Amino acid sequence: MRFTFPLMAIGLEVAMIVLFGLFVQYETDQNFSQQPNSTKSPIVDVDRYLDLYPLFQDVHVMVFAGFGFLMTFLRKYGFSSVGINLLIAALGLQWGTIAQGILQSHGEKFHIEIKNMINADFSTATVLISFGAVLGKTSPIQMLTMTILEIAVFAVNEYLVVEIFGASDTGASMTIHAFGAYFGLAVAGVLYRSSLKEGHRNEESVYHSDLFAMIGTLFLWIFWPSFNSAIANAGKNQDMAIVNTYFSLAACVVTAYACSSLLESRGKLHMVHIQNATLAGGVAIGTSADMANTPYYAMIIGSIAGMVSVFGFKFLTPFFTTKLRIHDTCGVHNLHGLPGVIGGLASIVFIALETADRSAMATQAAALGSSIGTALVGGLVTGLILKIPIWGQPADQDCYDDSVYWEVPRRTELDMFSRFHEHGNHNQLEPEA
């Protein structure tokens, strides 16, 4: 780790700098003068830049703060959840810019603008979703490798869905959420550790770790309308995307709370459900965010997504672990996978109700199938590569433990809490509701 990780990280950054030097340039007045037939105005571009920058800021907060803190629920893995999230995002946004830019420019030099930065953050979000499936069981070197491989596959699938199929996926329910979830599940399946089937002593939360994770939930929930509207067409479509996401999330929260209480003993709320299922409405409305022409459509989708997500955490996650040998640490299948599929199917329903255009319906179905299929194949290949014992993987007994890769304080609040419990100086009775 001491030499391998620094060499790999520096090598990748040098490669990014070289690629940026070869392919990326600013759009300047000189560029316009070289294109005499262009009717595009630099002033209009500046105005659009200023319009998009607040949306970019919101997406940026979601990627770096929202996803990072959402994964801090593990009691001894907070450093890695936030820290490796930052590492993945920093590398991913650079590589995403290159991978998407080269595909769209067909190998030529391309101009960098605010929309490229938003799309680069989107590509990074895909890896962060997959990171949740393997959280606590991989090394930083493995995550750097997965970032490079996954974004390359993501860029190809996105190009296929948007440019070749011509499908609509404004909020990226299919190309980001479903893709990231099933890619992560495929990797987790290949890297499955049978010794963790019955659980691990560090794979649990404590009061303050769940509270930190809830901070991530709030960041994501507040800014999700910007995520779903950032690349929508300016004007009515963008306004609809914002409003529909707003109400879908609100309906999802109420439904998720209700289902959590219904499924838990004595009607108590489960923090895992509240941290994750309350966000499923934002995922599910993504593809059709600019299609639903009345808010109650969005509220129905959000409500369904909230219910499906809670039921997934309650029943599917244990089934995947014990029967399918896929250990999904964060439950990304329930937050991103299933709601992403719901989002794709919802877009087909909207098209059927509004225009009955069979060609458009087939296009949306092909986009959903491509996103899931490409993710599964890419994830399996990536998992096989990461399984090679050269990446500094943690031993089974060291999973979910920051101290393997981080310098951690010798004495922590957690240690004192554990000693407190060992001496039995606490009230073991839980109040009845």
Side-chain angles (χ1 to χ4, degrees):
M1 175 75 176
R2 183 177 182 182
F3 297 105
T4 308
F5 173 70
L7 287 174
M8 184 174 187
I10 292 172
L12 287 172
E13 185 55 39
V14 169
M16 294 301 118
I17 292 171
V18 171
L19 288 171
F20 266 73
L22 293 174
F23 292 102
V24 182
Q25 61 185 8
Y26 288 118
E27 197 166 44
T28 63
D29 292 340
Q30 185 178 2
N31 297 137
F32 288 107
S33 65
Q34 293 171 354
Q35 301 173 11
N37 296 327
S38 175
T39 58
K40 198 173 182 182
S41 170
I43 297 176
V44 173
D45 281 351
V46 170
D47 290 342
R48 182 60 177 155
Y49 184 100
L50 295 176
D51 289 340
L52 284 176
Y53 188 72
L55 298 175
F56 163 74
Q57 285 180 306
D58 293 349
V59 173
H60 218 47
V61 170
M62 291 178 69
V63 168
F64 285 89
F67 280 106
F69 278 100
L70 182 62
M71 292 185 279
T72 58
F73 66 96
L74 293 171
R75 67 189 186 98
K76 297 181 69 176
Y77 211 65
F79 283 14
S80 296
S81 298
V82 177
I84 302 301
N85 183 93
L86 173 60
L87 174 67
I88 292 171
L91 175 64
L93 66 87
Q94 298 175 71
W95 175 229
T97 301
I98 292 294
Q100 292 171 309
I102 289 177
L103 277 173
Q104 292 168 4
S105 67
H106 305 290
E108 301 293 330
K109 281 193 173 185
F110 60 91
H111 300 141
I112 189 73
E113 55 183 8
I114 192 70
K115 197 167 184 179
N116 299 86
M117 295 163 63
I118 293 172
N119 283 320
D121 274 5
F122 282 170
S123 68
T124 297
T126 308
V127 186
L128 297 179
I129 292 168
S130 302
F131 179 39
V134 296
L135 186 71
K137 300 167 291 187
T138 52
S139 69
I141 299 173
Q142 284 178 302
M143 290 315 305
L144 288 177
T145 305
M146 190 171 99
T147 300
I148 297 298
L149 296 174
E150 182 170 359
I151 288 180
V153 179
F154 161 79
V156 171
N157 177 67
E158 184 190 48
Y159 183 82
L160 183 66
V161 167
V162 177
E163 302 295 334
I164 305 300
F165 294 161
S168 175
D169 193 21
T170 301
S173 299
M174 299 182 289
T175 53
I176 292 179
H177 297 287
F179 179 93
Y182 288 105
F183 191 103
L185 290 175
V187 174
V190 176
L191 300 181
Y192 181 78
R193 298 170 184 245
S194 56
S195 63
L196 302 181
K197 182 178 180 180
E198 303 300 327
H200 189 284
R201 57 189 174 86
N202 291 332
E203 194 186 0
E204 59 183 25
S205 64
V206 291
Y207 192 87
H208 68 265
S209 67
D210 269 334
L211 192 58
F212 271 111
M214 195 64 196
I215 293 173
T217 299
L218 293 175
F219 271 119
L220 292 170
W221 198 92
I222 291 168
F223 291 122
W224 212 294
S226 295
F227 189 96
N228 282 355
S229 63
I231 60 172
N233 293 329
K236 181 182 177 182
N237 284 26
Q238 198 165 56
D239 292 343
M240 286 174 57
I242 292 171
V243 174
N244 285 328
T245 305
Y246 179 79
F247 285 109
S248 179
L249 284 165
C252 176
V253 168
V254 177
T255 309
Y257 270 78
C259 291
S260 180
S261 177
L262 178 66
L263 295 179
E264 290 302 309
S265 62
R266 294 180 289 176
K268 292 188 175 183
L269 299 170
H270 197 302
M271 198 54 160
V272 170
H273 302 161
I274 307 308
Q275 289 164 355
N276 295 275
T278 53
L279 300 171
V283 176
I285 193 61
T287 300
S288 52
D290 60 347
M291 296 181 188
N293 53 19
T294 56
Y296 80 88
Y297 283 160
M299 296 167 75
I300 292 172
I301 292 175
S303 299
I304 293 172
M307 287 189 288
V308 169
S309 184
V310 172
F311 276 84
F313 276 104
K314 183 67 176 179
F315 301 110
L316 286 183
T317 297
F319 175 78
F320 272 46
T321 302
T322 57
K323 302 300 182 183
L324 300 184
R325 298 172 62 86
I326 299 174
H327 185 250
D328 180 4
T329 306
C330 292
V332 299
H333 184 235
N334 313 308
L335 171 54
H336 300 280
L338 292 174
V341 172
I342 291 172
L345 295 176
S347 70
I348 298 173
V349 172
F350 279 127
I351 293 171
L353 292 174
E354 295 297 325
T355 64
D357 185 341
R358 292 187 177 183
S359 175
M361 292 164 61
T363 295
Q364 294 299 113
L368 180 59
S370 171
S371 297
I372 296 175
T374 306
L376 291 173
V377 173
L380 289 172
V381 174
T382 300
L384 291 172
I385 294 172
L386 298 183
K387 199 175 180 67
I388 301 171
I390 60 173
W391 309 109
Q393 299 93 324
D396 290 353
Q397 66 270 19
D398 294 330
C399 288
Y400 316 109
D401 192 340
D402 279 333
S403 63
V404 179
Y405 301 111
W406 295 83
E407 291 287 347
V408 298
R410 288 188 177 184
R411 297 190 64 184
T412 64
E413 182 182 345
L414 182 61
D415 294 331
M416 292 185 285
F417 182 82
S418 299
R419 289 195 187 95
F420 184 69
H421 271 251
E422 288 171 4
H423 287 86
N425 295 325
H426 62 286
N427 185 359
Q428 296 182 356
L429 297 177
E430 288 186 325
E432 287 280 356

